Amino acid sequence: MRLFIDHIKESIDYTLSDKTGIIIVSSLVSIACFINKNSLSDPILKVINVFLLIVVGYGSYVSWYALKGRDEHPRFKNNMKRLVWEGFKKSVIVFIYSGFLYALIRLAKLSYADGNLIFTVCFVILFILLYLCLIAGLLNRYLHNGKFIEAFHLREIINLIKIFDTRYFIKVIIAVIISQAFAASVVIPFSKGLTLLDIIYSIATFFLAPFLYISSKRLIALNVYDLLEKQD
């Protein structure tokens, strides 16, 4: 537990040490929120826009560097194409996995509605296993220089999952939940009202969500890096 707390502190210090990065990420998130609120296009296109791809790519590099034991921050200057490309690849991977996850949860609901508890439990278990494969697949990809196909390399994904004990599993899941909470905040647009609560929400979306996003990406990778070091 002490090591996990140290990783949290290190992740916070890492994020705060790059104030320019936080401002840029926050600004990009704000633009993405504005587009999501005002766009009348397909929902998928609303979420996957170039500004959001940059943020996703930035987060990938944060995790990537941490898994390599490096403390540097991803650069924005002269690096936008790489960030967009990385964000696009990760978004496609998540989209593919999400399609199957949605199908499984849909089947579970239908089975439950029909009173078939056995099938319901089976689909829920498959959903959980596939979700773990998504997390491990993204990590496995970072461990193989960001190769797209490595996110679907089932044998390596299973081998990576096997090295997690209960403690590390819980730590990584906590960080993943924080990171995905950020993703949800981007999909949900800024509040339209001007009440105190609306203003606080908008400020939190601008500063707090990106801060948690960067910190959680670092935290995930630090815990995995520490675990992999113990395997050597």
Side-chain angles (χ1 to χ4, degrees), residues 10 16 50 106 114 144 146 152 154 219:
E10 198 280 339
L16 292 177
V50 66
R106 177 69 176 170
D114 293 337
H144 291 82
F152 305 96
L154 189 58
L219 180 60

Side-chain angles (χ1 to χ4, degrees), residues 7-15 59 61-73 175 179 211-225:
H7 284 333
I8 293 177
K9 292 179 179 178
E10 198 280 339
S11 298
I12 293 174
D13 291 339
Y14 170 86
T15 305
Y61 275 103
V62 169
S63 296
W64 197 343
Y65 290 156
L67 284 172
K68 291 178 177 291
R70 294 157 57 181
D71 296 328
E72 65 183 280
H73 295 269
S179 179
F211 171 79
L212 291 175
Y213 174 67
I214 298 172
S215 299
S216 61
K217 289 294 182 182
R218 178 78 175 176
L219 180 60
I220 293 169
L222 285 177
N223 281 285
V224 176
Y225 175 80

Side-chain angles (χ1 to χ4, degrees), residues 195-210:
T195 66
L196 179 60
L197 184 61
D198 293 328
I199 294 174
I200 292 175
Y201 172 78
S202 297
I203 294 174
T205 302
F206 186 82
F207 289 108
L208 183 58

Side-chain angles (χ1 to χ4, degrees), residues 39-53:
S39 175
L40 298 177
S41 60
D42 185 89
I44 295 177
L45 298 179
K46 289 172 62 178
V47 175
I48 303 179
N49 58 65
V50 66
F51 302 103
L52 189 55
L53 291 180

